Amino acid sequence: MSHLVLYIDEWGVVVMIEPKLESQKLVGLPEGEKYDGTLTPGGRLRNLAERLESVHSTDLGVAYRTLPNGRAELVFSDLDGKQVVDIPTPISKEDFNSITKKIIPLEETKFILFELARAYKLRMPIMLEGGTAIGKTFVVNKFANMLYGPKAVIPDFYCSGQTDTSELMGKPVAATAKPEEQQQLSDYLKTDAGAALKAELIKETGGNYEYRELLARAAFDLGLPIDKAKFEFQLGTLPKAMTAQFRKDGSIIYAKDGPGVMLHIQELSLAEPSVVNCLFKVRGERGHLAKSIQLWEHDGRTIEAGPGFFMVYSTNPLGKGFLERHEIDKALARSFVWVKLPEKLSERSLRQATSSIFSFDKISPQSGTIIDLSKEAELGETFGEVMAKFHKIYQEMTERGESGRRQKIPATIDSLWRVAKLVQTVQIPTSNNKSIDMVSTLREAVKGVYTNSLQDGTELGRAEHLNQADVLNLSQSILNAFEQILANATTDLVSFRGKSVTRQEKIEILTKEAFSDESQNQPYAQAEEEAQEEAKKSAAYAGVQSSLIELKKELGEAAFSDIFKSM
């Protein structure tokens, strides 16, 4: 049995016949509870109390509730547990659990989730400004999964000097061109030659040119046989998101009258002025998003926003090692809820993150795993202690930076995940191949993830504006700090089973014990071998005894006795 799915994409009206599979069903915009004027203030207060109670027992500050009418909602709490926001969701409790299981419940994460939920509830666009180590994009994507499903990937738009209004709003495309030719055109316009072509056209027309003319000239330069008269308009990321809809399998449909989805505009402080001007179109009244936009690029066509359309902006702060950024236009800035986030995780969150990551419960052993660290809790805990201290020192030392070097490589939670992955999957044996050298394993992982990013190899020495000595000195200083955390017997001793030891000694003892666990099983194996040997002997004895009985019957008792007497 098949059914028709009718939607409009960037080329026009498309009719598709698809099998009626569960995964292909559309994720509609669930209806939330509305204000009930029939309830007394006391009745509404009881409902609020129920929501507060549901979320207080959660680590993440997000609860899943099934309502009496069968619908589901998510309840988000602020850090103090005093405010809650409820949002209807189409996902199941199982999907909710699978999504939240992947989130470390840091204070910064809980704060971002609540601010996103509150802005989404009111359909007010939100700006998240904070350092790259905070996890803005990760949290935005997990919030989207809670709204649309674990496989959903929301549309996003990354601002840079290479992105222009055509990618955001839309552009004509040559209907006669093959996909690979269209890609050639798009790539060409991002080159210096393409930029020169565009500048020439702006000079000729005073900036009032049609995009199809630019495409036609680019096609001529590339020698592509494109009919200048046959162009179709291709919608950009923004108008698509305004009417998009997810399927249950996570794929997305750009429909004419869909409910709309969340759109993430990343690194707004890198946006070109022309992109910022286009974003003014989605400013609505009283801090809300516009209900529609007009695409003058597409003969003035109006795009109506669905009720589920929502926008999240994010950016790293000005300065602080983030290059080529500029202040966001004040007129645009006042159109969204601005949330200022920390530039890096608090010490408490850093310890919590390392503790969770180095439990290794989310990192499966691979072919290079000798000791499965997910089964060695004390080892993982020790690694977490070392990495929490080292990560903080690394951030402090690299903030001072290398002399003359503009490019900074920030350390983030991703850095910790990479180290944990390496320690679990690429383990170094001792020189006699009788054990694993876990200290060297951790040291090499730290070098690969952290200090190698401070060196540019041979190119570094050739670049006059970079000071190679400073970079190498900083790298060595950071490694020295790592060694101090591991093995300083004066300032970095830890208590371990009634003794004061260095962390290196603790790791070596725990590694040895991980192997001794295996040796402790040897007596049981030996006993089992001895039992099997005894069983074999008993079986052999029984066989001999049976043969002797048969021989006695055949020879007679007298002859049989004479044989044994002669022996």
Side-chain angles (χ1 to χ4, degrees):
M1 186 70 179
S2 299
H3 71 296
L4 289 177
V5 176
L6 176 64
Y7 67 94
I8 296 179
D9 70 358
E10 62 266 28
W11 299 101
V13 177
V14 178
V15 177
M16 296 182 66
I17 298 178
E18 299 179 335
K20 196 170 184 179
L21 299 175
E22 181 67 23
S23 63
Q24 296 295 312
K25 288 184 178 179
L26 300 178
V27 177
L29 184 67
E31 185 177 346
E33 283 197 294
K34 298 179 180 178
Y35 176 79
D36 188 349
T38 64
L39 287 177
T40 63
R44 288 192 286 274
L45 181 59
R46 283 191 292 273
N47 288 343
L48 175 59
E50 289 177 3
R51 290 188 171 95
L52 283 166
E53 185 179 353
S54 71
V55 78
H56 279 170
S57 60
T58 66
D59 293 330
L60 190 59
V62 186
Y64 184 98
R65 295 181 72 221
T66 303
L67 303 175
N69 59 13
R71 294 173 180 159
E73 71 174 12
L74 303 175
V75 182
F76 295 80
S77 169
D78 66 354
L79 291 177
D80 297 327
K82 295 178 180 179
Q83 303 179 70
V84 290
V85 173
D86 59 285
I87 294 177
T89 180
I91 70 174
S92 67
K93 181 67 179 293
E94 291 72 25
D95 283 343
F96 173 77
N97 289 338
S98 72
I99 294 165
T100 55
K101 185 180 179 181
K102 299 174 183 177
I103 305 173
I104 302 173
L106 308 178
E107 284 189 353
E108 294 83 356
T109 300
K110 291 188 280 188
F111 177 72
I112 296 172
L113 282 172
F114 177 74
E115 293 297 333
L116 286 170
R118 183 162 58 178
Y120 178 83
K121 174 87 172 179
L122 301 174
R123 292 300 191 273
M124 291 182 173
I126 184 173
M127 158 63 79
L128 302 175
E129 181 198 6
T132 188
I134 293 297
K136 301 183 297 294
T137 301
F138 173 81
V139 179
V140 168
N141 290 337
K142 293 306 172 188
F143 179 70
N145 291 148
M146 295 181 196
L147 296 180
Y148 308 117
K151 296 181 180 179
V153 179
I154 58 171
D156 63 357
F157 182 85
Y158 188 91
C159 301
S160 74
Q162 298 299 316
T163 52
D164 58 26
T165 58
S166 64
E167 295 177 52
L168 180 66
M169 306 304 290
K171 60 188 176 184
V173 295
T176 56
K178 299 175 182 178
E180 57 269 23
E181 292 173 340
Q182 292 178 16
Q183 188 61 49
Q184 272 185 274
L185 284 170
S186 178
D187 292 342
Y188 178 72
L189 291 175
K190 293 178 182 178
T191 64
D192 291 341
L197 185 66
K198 184 177 179 180
E200 180 183 342
L201 194 55
I202 291 174
K203 185 177 181 180
E204 289 179 14
T205 62
N208 187 24
Y209 68 91
E210 290 193 1
Y211 194 81
R212 66 188 69 193
E213 176 63 25
L214 178 63
L215 284 178
R217 294 193 184 189
F220 179 80
D221 285 356
L222 292 171
L224 297 177
I226 292 176
D227 188 339
K228 184 177 177 180
K230 293 183 180 180
F231 283 87
E232 297 284 351
F233 191 82
Q234 184 182 69
L235 293 178
T237 306
L238 175 58
K240 281 182 175 181
M242 293 175 72
T243 60
Q245 187 168 13
F246 279 103
R247 289 191 176 110
K248 285 192 174 183
D249 64 0
S251 61
I252 195 168
I253 287 179
Y254 298 108
K256 180 180 180 181
D257 54 358
V261 298
M262 182 163 66
L263 169 63
H264 187 189
I265 305 291
Q266 299 193 55
E267 300 303 342
L268 185 60
S269 59
L270 291 175
E272 292 292 306
S274 57
V275 171
V276 172
N277 288 337
C278 287
L279 292 172
F280 281 127
K281 293 186 178 183
V282 290
R283 291 189 307 168
E285 297 178 352
R286 300 176 182 177
H288 293 87
L289 289 165
K291 295 181 179 179
S292 65
I293 63 172
Q294 201 162 14
L295 291 178
W296 295 109
E297 302 90 341
H298 190 19
D299 301 323
R301 174 184 171 186
T302 298
I303 305 292
E304 301 285 343
F309 175 57
F310 178 59
M311 288 184 70
V312 177
Y313 296 89
S314 66
T315 192
N316 289 316
L318 297 178
K320 304 293 183 181
F322 299 106
L323 306 179
E324 312 301 336
R325 297 176 186 276
H326 39 260
E327 186 178 344
I328 295 169
D329 188 289
K330 290 182 175 61
L332 180 62
R334 67 181 178 83
S335 69
F336 38 68
V337 178
W338 194 297
V339 178
K340 184 72 171 71
L341 302 169
E343 292 178 20
K344 57 186 179 182
L345 296 177
S346 67
E347 285 192 40
R348 177 182 175 182
S349 291
L350 178 58
R351 288 194 301 270
Q352 187 179 354
T354 53
S355 176
S356 176
I357 292 168
F358 286 90
S359 68
F360 297 97
D361 62 345
K362 298 179 180 66
I363 304 177
S364 302
Q366 304 292 326
S367 59
T369 302
I370 308 302
I371 298 176
D372 181 1
L373 294 169
S374 66
K375 298 178 180 179
E376 303 295 336
E378 282 191 285
L379 257 178
E381 181 183 333
T382 307
F383 287 152
E385 292 172 2
V386 171
M387 291 308 301
K389 287 176 69 73
F390 172 73
H391 188 89
K392 181 175 182 293
I393 291 173
Y394 179 90
Q395 287 181 320
E396 291 171 350
M397 294 181 74
T398 53
E399 276 177 9
R400 295 193 291 270
E402 307 99 305
S403 298
R405 190 179 188 188
R406 298 179 68 216
Q407 178 64 62
K408 311 299 181 188
I409 311 296
T412 67
I413 288 182
D414 288 340
S415 307
L416 295 167
W417 278 113
R418 293 184 186 110
V419 169
K421 183 79 172 179
L422 286 171
V423 170
Q424 171 74 309
T425 59
V426 185
Q427 297 178 353
I428 300 172
T430 56
S431 57
N432 59 9
N433 290 330
K434 291 185 177 181
S435 183
I436 290 296
D437 187 343
M438 273 299 177
V439 174
S440 293
T441 297
L442 181 60
R443 181 184 293 117
E444 293 304 315
V446 165
K447 286 181 182 178
V449 174
Y450 285 85
T451 59
N452 282 358
S453 66
L454 300 175
Q455 302 178 38
D456 292 334
T458 55
E459 292 300 320
L460 184 62
R462 296 174 190 161
E464 294 179 0
H465 65 285
L466 297 178
N467 188 325
Q468 186 178 23
D470 283 351
V471 178
L472 296 179
N473 288 341
L474 177 60
S475 175
Q476 190 56 55
S477 296
I478 288 173
L479 286 176
N480 289 343
F482 175 73
E483 297 299 334
Q484 289 289 314
I485 295 169
L486 278 176
N488 190 317
T490 304
T491 60
D492 275 291
L493 291 176
V494 293
S495 178
F496 180 59
R497 298 178 186 169
K499 296 181 180 180
S500 293
V501 297
T502 65
R503 291 185 177 86
Q504 177 167 329
E505 290 170 337
K506 184 178 177 181
I507 291 171
E508 289 169 349
I509 293 169
L510 291 172
T511 304
K512 185 177 180 180
E513 289 180 356
F515 273 90
S516 68
D517 289 344
E518 182 178 312
S519 64
Q520 286 172 7
N521 292 326
Q522 290 179 358
Y524 299 102
Q526 185 176 352
E528 186 176 351
E529 285 181 17
E530 290 175 357
Q532 290 176 352
E533 190 64 31
E534 287 297 324
K536 290 179 182 177
K537 289 179 180 178
S538 297
Y541 176 77
V544 171
Q545 187 178 39
S546 176
S547 298
L548 290 173
I549 291 172
E550 290 297 323
L551 183 62
K552 183 178 180 180
K553 289 180 181 179
E554 185 177 339
L555 297 176
E557 186 171 342
F560 184 78
S561 297
D562 290 341
I563 292 175
F564 279 93
K565 286 177 182 178
S566 64
M567 294 172 64

